[in-house]
Amino acid sequence: MCENAEHPAHKGPNRRGLFVTGAAAALTLGSVSFASGAERRAPAGDRAPGSKETRTVRGTLPPGSPDFVYLPVEVPDGVREFHASYTYQKPAVPPGTQGNALDIGVFDERGTELGGKGFRGWSGGARTEFFIRADDATPGYLPGRIRAGTWHIALGPYTVAPEGLPYEVTITLTYGAPGRTPKPVYPPERAKGRGRAWYRGDCHLHSVHSDGRRTLAEIAALARAAGLDFINSSEHNTHSAHAHWAAEAGDDLLILLGEEVTTRNGHLVALGTDPGTFVDWRYRARDNRFGRYARRIRDAGGLVVPAHPHATCVGCNWKFGFGEADAVEVWNGAYTPDDEVSLADWDSMLVTSVRGGRPWIPAMGNSDAHRDPDRVGGPQTVVLADDLTREAIQDGIRRGRSYIAESKSVELTFTAAGGKGGHAGIGGRLDAERDAPVTVRLEVKGAPGCTPRFITDQGVLHTGPTVPVSGTATLEWRTTPSYAAYVRAELRHPPTTPGLPGPLCAFTNPIFLGD
């Protein structure tokens, strides 16, 4: 049985079937019904197991559509599987004009309330169809019983062409016994570490559970090959992968759980949250809701890490400020000009923090790897932690006891010494009087052809010779706390653009000087 329902409410003055929801920047269409009258009252057992019903809805979203459009679906009793597919037109547009892009997800009978319990999955624009059953679901979606009530297909018009976005959504319900939902098994929060040591990790990765092309097993294998000790699950707007990572963890690889919270005003990595944590993304900076969801991440034991804050993709530029950040992803994937801007912006925040006496925000680097040839562990954050556990790794990141390297080949030792025999390492503070001499020392391994330099709140103050072909070098510099409130180290490849610094090979979080 197939029933076509046109929704003219999106085109022209006819507003039939269109309702404003309580959520900001969202609209709700008229309901799609699968049973009425005597059919609705029929016992679920009267429907033949395996029988299907299908409805198709068509409409057009105009330019300026809200961020989310909800299509209610009245689901009767006795449904075994919920399946949805969609298509939309992608007309050619002139250069510089946005074309059509439409995301999709679903909420169950518990509703679409922000931060509520109704979330059942999201695939963005990565898939054209999905299914949910008690025993299984499309990656990106959560298995569980298909309970009767009003479900909502969530459409997200990411960009809309000037002539509008014509779409078609087809929902198919399959009747029958629901099956059993497997109990989720999550990866352990501890791996076999080396005690207090430097551990390498990549906390921004994508698999088939969002818009990546790699399986979890493939990512884990690549992480091990890249010399990583830990990774973090960070799928776009879904935690569906959480219950599938346990088989890939081991004594040699700690797997943290999280999400890339992908809003229309920037992305953030929720790093190391409790298993099964859902963090909502349906808000903009103007809605003043971000603080609530940052607290949600911390309440779930995670870190708040704005990702690629100066990326140029639509909706990627970070607009929520950094007041809630535990760290910031300064280096994202292959080093590009937007990473250089992020690095400069982060350095400016360091200057502001030391001069204003405010807390500073550590930097991170992650691969954001989605598919070949994206390199897992390129870059990687190398963290000094008391052990290879969720809590210890998070503590090292939060305290800035870390450096960022392009690969496992690069090793840095960065220290400051002075005063009355005092020493400090990355992320620490050397207690020394304002005019006391301080010696800053950088030891480098695995970086042939790169040039080391020291950066302070006054800018680049010391540059060393290029690291020889052996890849090892040592650079020392003497200064005072009155001359340099902090010192951080960079290693740069040769410049590729005249007048600009070369791409990063590695960089450290700062050492602060003075009391």
Side-chain angles (χ1 to χ4, degrees), residues 323-396:
E324 296 284 355
D326 295 302
V328 58
E329 185 187 76
V330 169
W331 184 354
N332 174 276
Y335 199 76
T336 58
D338 61 272
D339 295 306
E340 189 69 33
V341 175
S342 294
L343 181 68
D345 192 33
W346 171 70
D347 190 75
S348 295
M349 289 193 290
L350 287 179
V351 173
T352 300
S353 68
V354 296
R355 294 180 182 173
R358 294 195 293 270
W360 66 289
I361 304 172
M364 290 191 70
N366 300 300
S367 72
D368 199 1
H370 285 69
R371 59 187 67 82
D372 293 339
D374 298 351
R375 187 167 57 87
V376 173
Q380 51 195 249
T381 300
V382 190
V383 183
L384 179 61
D386 290 335
D387 208 345
L388 189 51
T389 67
R390 169 189 173 190
E391 182 179 1
I393 292 296
Q394 289 177 317
D395 186 59

Side-chain angles (χ1 to χ4, degrees), residues 50 138 191 234 256 297 301 370 385 415 473 485:
T138 301
S234 58
L256 306 176
I297 293 169
H370 285 69
T415 59

Side-chain angles (χ1 to χ4, degrees), residues 149-175:
T150 304
W151 288 50
H152 290 82
I153 299 285
L155 300 175
Y158 209 69
T159 56
V160 179
E163 57 265 53
L165 194 161
Y167 67 88
E168 178 180 293
V169 179
T170 299
I171 305 108
T172 299
L173 303 184
T174 301
Y175 294 93

